[in-house]
Amino acid sequence: MNINSLEELKERIFPALKNRVNYFKKLGVNDISEDDIFMYFFDTWKKKNDLSLAEIVNDILNCNYLNIRYFKERSNYEKRQY
């Protein structure tokens, strides 16, 4: 997969991100956005070699909102620097 920028990657996987956010909304989870899901996986994807678009989409479509919510809370806590 030849992706030249972070924005290009986000653009290519946006349909999967949107799909997962819509799924979470149907479950009543309204506080998770496409960016939250992207940031949750970004460090993991960055460390992998030869990552395919199918693997990225699979990660997105099978993620658990509790893990993303925990990641988001932990990130917010670290930003506050308590």
Side-chain angles (χ1 to χ4, degrees), residues 59-70:
D59 285 347
I60 293 167
L61 295 180
N62 290 300
C63 66
N64 183 320
Y65 72 88
L66 293 174
N67 293 340
I68 295 168
R69 186 176 278 162
Y70 174 76

Side-chain angles (χ1 to χ4, degrees), residues 21-76:
V21 168
N22 288 338
Y23 174 75
F24 290 154
K25 285 182 181 178
K26 287 180 183 176
L27 295 176
V29 179
N30 296 314
D31 62 337
I32 294 177
S33 69
E34 291 85 356
D35 285 334
D36 295 331
I37 297 171
F38 183 81
M39 293 312 297
Y40 173 74
F41 284 112
F42 181 69
D43 285 335
T44 305
W45 294 334
K46 190 168 58 172
K47 294 174 187 173
K48 291 184 179 180
N49 292 328
D50 297 328
L51 186 64
S52 71
L53 187 59
E55 290 172 304
I56 292 172
V57 170
N58 185 53
D59 285 347
I60 293 167
L61 295 180
N62 290 300
C63 66
N64 183 320
Y65 72 88
L66 293 174
N67 293 340
I68 295 168
R69 186 176 278 162
Y70 174 76
F71 169 79
K72 202 172 146 176
E73 289 174 6
R74 190 183 72 213
S75 296
N76 289 337

